[in-house]
Amino acid sequence: MRLSGRIDLGLFYSRTDITIPIRNEDRQEAIGWFKNIDLKENDEVIIDIKKKRQKRSLNANAYFWQLVNKVAQKLNCSDQDVYRKLVKDFGVSTTLMVRDEAKEAFIRAWTEGKDSSGWFVEDLGHEVLRAYSGTSTYNTKEMSRIIDGLVEECKELDIETMTSDELEHLKATWRQR
């Protein structure tokens, strides 16, 4: 179950209470979920909390792919080649240790069924892999970093891009959504 809310802290002499009020429209679902797992009032629970991030807008995605296409045409390669290089240079990755006998299974699990060539694994040797995530999972900050890298690439190739002000405006609109 996924809920969102704002944290309220109650500071008391012997304890601190953390309350997360939820939206009214989520209330019935939450109550049903607690009843379904047979959770009683004093049962101990584990709760994962992470900061809510704004999702990127379709405008950001469309602009990204428009520039990727221009770079690919200029370099005489595929959009996917440019995209993969951007993900590798500016994207999100995880470095992990994987035993040699498990590498193939991990790579298959990481890439299988993904709708993007941005999901790939680089073997760094000595049982170390770097797994890259496609941009479909990026938040605004991560997408902003990869677009900034792409814009720099465009400038080096003499490809016209938005002005700095236009780009900042686009980024600001992502944060408002």
Side-chain angles (χ1 to χ4, degrees):
M1 162 168 228
R2 171 175 251 160
L3 299 171
S4 65
R6 297 193 189 284
I7 294 176
D8 289 333
L9 292 178
L11 303 175
F12 300 98
Y13 178 70
S14 61
R15 70 173 201 272
T16 300
D17 288 350
I18 299 174
T19 306
I20 304 175
I22 60 173
R23 299 176 308 191
N24 281 337
E25 57 264 26
D26 293 333
R27 189 171 64 190
Q28 286 306 110
E29 182 182 356
I31 291 169
W33 184 80
F34 282 113
K35 286 180 181 175
N36 192 39
I37 63 167
D38 196 32
L39 191 63
K40 306 277 188 296
E41 185 173 332
N42 290 315
D43 286 350
E44 193 170 321
V45 297
I46 296 173
I47 299 171
D48 292 326
I49 298 176
K50 62 182 181 178
K51 186 174 181 176
K52 184 176 180 178
R53 301 246 185 228
Q54 295 296 325
K55 293 193 178 211
R56 62 189 165 126
S57 71
L58 292 177
N59 291 341
N61 195 48
Y63 182 64
F64 175 80
W65 284 104
Q66 178 186 5
L67 292 182
V68 164
N69 182 260
K70 288 179 180 182
V71 170
Q73 288 176 2
K74 188 87 166 196
L75 297 177
N76 199 27
C77 63
S78 74
D79 289 5
Q80 294 304 316
D81 291 338
V82 173
Y83 174 64
R84 249 189 164 175
K85 183 178 183 324
L86 289 165
V87 168
K88 188 174 178 180
D89 292 347
F90 304 103
V92 176
S93 67
T94 304
T95 303
L96 39 130
M97 300 283 293
V98 178
R99 294 179 188 245
D100 282 331
E101 60 270 18
K103 282 182 178 180
E104 200 173 298
F106 174 81
I107 292 169
R108 192 171 42 255
W110 186 259
T111 59
E112 201 169 88
K114 304 295 192 308
D115 62 352
S116 163
S117 63
W119 291 86
F120 61 96
V121 178
E122 184 179 25
D123 190 339
L124 302 176
H126 306 291
E127 299 186 338
V128 178
L129 297 177
R130 181 166 293 135
Y132 295 89
S133 303
T135 58
S136 61
T137 63
Y138 289 13
N139 61 33
T140 301
K141 183 177 178 182
E142 294 160 342
M143 195 64 192
S144 179
R145 183 176 59 238
I146 201 167
I147 287 179
D148 287 345
L150 176 56
V151 167
E152 286 306 311
E153 177 89 11
C154 288
K155 287 178 182 176
E156 289 175 18
L157 295 170
D158 248 3
I159 296 172
E160 189 176 329
T161 63
M162 288 182 176
T163 65
S164 296
D165 288 344
E166 290 170 327
L167 191 56
E168 286 307 312
H169 175 71
L170 181 61
K171 290 177 187 178
T173 61
W174 301 336
R175 292 181 189 109
Q176 291 172 2
R177 290 173 192 248

